[in-house]
Amino acid sequence: MWFSENLKIRLTMMSRRPRQISYGFVDTKFGRMLMGVVSLDDVQSEAQDAICLLYFVMENDEDTLGEAIQRSHGAKMVKESAIIQKWSDKLFSGGKDVEECVIDVAILGTTFETAVWSALLDVKSGQTYTYMQLATQMGRPEVVRSLASAVGRNEVAILIPCHRIVSKNGDSKYHWGGRLKQELLSFEQATK
């Protein structure tokens, strides 16, 4: 199971850290993933809720959940199978019968981080950019180091496609491992 080709990612900026994140685990073509969803009650948005985290499970569910808890800065993590199933269905099978399927992604970051994550959405499936190319595309070639840090702080793997950014020397650095990054990029190249 992998993403529908008709997805459109809509970023929604959260005004504060969420108090609660609903979570669950999803089995995908590239392995198990932890998905987190937040309510958008206090944010102006067309959506009621949005995906706020999407992590690959590397060792086991508990360690991945522990990482999410640590990085969520105090948000209460509540297992909610129904909410996660709704988003999983939309993400992995939704949109097959429609021209466009919108996936809402809630983000929290600085103005610069938000600009970087937005720029990542312009890197299409099957493409890769170096950090310098992304910085240049943003009109800010002098911020390569800061840009690399912002790419690394992305909480929503795949949907904000940080895996499409590569080092100019060819290194495949990725939070979930270089091998997985190469598998994702190869898959995207083959299906573009």
Side-chain angles (χ1 to χ4, degrees):
M1 151 165 88
W2 204 237
F3 303 119
S4 166
E5 294 177 19
N6 301 327
L7 294 183
K8 179 183 186 301
I9 306 303
R10 180 173 50 205
L11 298 180
T12 299
M13 182 71 173
M14 293 187 285
S15 57
R16 62 175 169 74
R17 294 198 179 281
R19 290 187 183 99
Q20 179 174 309
I21 299 173
S22 300
Y23 80 90
F25 293 90
V26 180
D27 291 311
T28 76
K29 177 180 188 73
F30 292 98
R32 197 158 167 80
M33 297 186 85
L34 168 65
M35 181 186 294
V37 174
V38 292
S39 169
L40 296 177
D41 292 340
D42 64 343
V43 176
Q44 269 194 318
S45 173
E46 295 176 38
Q48 293 179 331
D49 54 10
I51 296 173
C52 67
L53 67 88
L54 196 56
Y55 296 173
F56 283 100
V57 173
M58 294 308 297
E59 297 294 325
N60 58 59
D61 291 356
E62 294 78 24
D63 288 350
T64 304
L65 180 59
E67 179 183 354
I69 291 169
Q70 181 181 0
R71 291 176 67 158
S72 70
H73 301 283
K76 182 179 177 183
M77 301 293 283
V78 178
K79 191 166 189 171
E80 294 277 355
S81 300
I83 292 172
I84 299 307
Q85 188 63 52
K86 174 191 98 166
W87 278 100
S88 178
D89 289 347
K90 187 174 182 179
L91 184 60
F92 294 106
S93 59
K96 289 183 180 173
D97 299 327
V98 296
E99 202 168 296
E100 183 176 86
C101 180
V102 176
I103 299 293
D104 292 288
V105 173
I107 56 173
L108 181 65
T110 65
T111 302
F112 178 72
E113 289 170 335
T114 302
V116 170
W117 299 331
S118 183
L120 284 169
L121 296 178
D122 293 331
V123 183
K124 302 300 179 206
S125 182
Q127 293 180 323
T128 58
Y129 280 29
T130 64
Y131 292 100
M132 177 58 86
Q133 287 172 318
L134 186 62
T136 301
Q137 177 195 344
M138 293 177 63
R140 310 259 327 260
E142 73 282 359
V143 298
V144 174
R145 285 182 182 253
S146 299
L147 180 136
S149 294
V151 168
R153 283 193 289 276
N154 172 25
E155 293 293 315
V156 190
I158 306 301
L159 297 182
I160 300 176
C162 57
H163 65 284
R164 296 180 187 150
I165 306 304
V166 297
S167 299
K168 67 180 175 183
N169 66 4
D171 282 350
S172 274
K173 295 177 183 175
Y174 191 47
H175 183 80
W176 295 282
R179 182 171 163 234
L180 176 59
K181 179 175 186 161
Q182 287 306 310
E183 288 174 9
L184 292 166
L185 292 174
S186 294
F187 175 80
E188 290 180 347
Q189 278 288 326
T191 58
K192 75 172 188 175

